[in-house]
Amino acid sequence: MTSKKIKGASRISPSSLTHSPTPPRSHEYWMRRAIAEAGKAAAKNEVPIGCVIVQGGKIIARGHNLRETSQDPAGHAELIAIRKAARKRGSWRLLETVLYVTLEPCTMCMGAIILARIPTIVFGCYDPKGGAAGSLFDLSNDPRLNHRVELLPRVLETECSHMLSDFFTALRERKRQARLT
């Protein structure tokens, strides 16, 4: 397996994913599906984060942020998709899946990913304020835990990052306009 160090964490190259059948489509293809989910969140004035879980070349679950809509602190895209995938498979063990998400998972989501035994995460951009896959923390390769997660970061990073920065720029402008009225 080809491995390289990024931010002190174990990372893999796209060609080295060996744990499950390689999806017939590229990582960029699946990340675009996650970006589409993020767009659904943005349309609801949610932070635009989207997630898809792929198994055997097919999406088995999708999710996008719904924290504001549901007033649920656990309404993260990854948790929504993980719950749907577990229901669909009839098992909490999501072996032989790949989780695609537009933003590096937080500690809560990484905990769920580890507990669900998801072997691989592909994500768009790092989250220096709350990321748990190499930015602020790295739970993906912690030897104290019983499961390790392979990471493939920075897939369509620019698109994912711009979606988030555009959202927060617009949010700040709306708040500024509200103060002026």
Side-chain angles (χ1 to χ4, degrees), residues 16-150:
S16 68
L17 296 177
T18 58
H19 70 276
S20 65
T22 304
R25 303 192 189 215
S26 70
H27 293 300
E28 290 80 9
Y29 173 85
W30 299 116
M31 185 60 73
R32 289 192 195 292
R33 307 289 78 73
I35 290 170
E37 284 298 311
K40 293 176 185 178
K44 297 173 184 174
N45 289 319
E46 295 276 356
V47 175
I49 300 171
C51 178
V52 296
I53 298 177
V54 176
Q55 182 179 25
K58 294 182 181 177
I59 293 175
I60 62 168
R62 304 169 189 268
H64 56 272
N65 267 12
L66 290 172
R67 285 192 327 172
E68 296 298 326
T69 302
S70 64
Q71 289 299 297
D72 179 2
H76 289 210
E78 301 96 294
L79 294 182
I80 292 166
I82 288 169
R83 287 176 181 142
K84 287 178 180 179
R87 280 193 302 271
K88 183 170 187 170
R89 291 197 46 196
S91 174
W92 59 268
R93 289 179 184 90
L94 299 178
L95 302 170
E96 299 179 359
T97 62
V98 179
L99 183 144
Y100 291 84
V101 64
T102 56
L103 182 67
E104 175 186 8
C106 69
T107 54
M108 175 176 65
C109 292
M110 277 300 295
I113 288 163
I114 290 165
L115 291 172
R117 309 297 194 268
I118 296 173
T120 304
I121 303 171
V122 178
F123 65 90
C125 55
Y126 280 100
D127 181 1
K129 293 183 179 181
S135 288
L136 192 58
F137 303 104
D138 188 3
L139 298 179
S140 70
N141 200 26
D142 191 315
R144 297 169 294 179
L145 300 174
N146 66 341
H147 178 69
R148 307 293 178 278
V149 181
E150 294 179 315

Side-chain angles (χ1 to χ4, degrees), residues 42 45-48 162-171 174:
N45 289 319
E46 295 276 356
V47 175
H162 284 157
M163 183 175 246
L164 285 161
S165 58
D166 291 350
F167 173 83
F168 285 112
T169 298
L171 179 63
R174 284 194 305 271

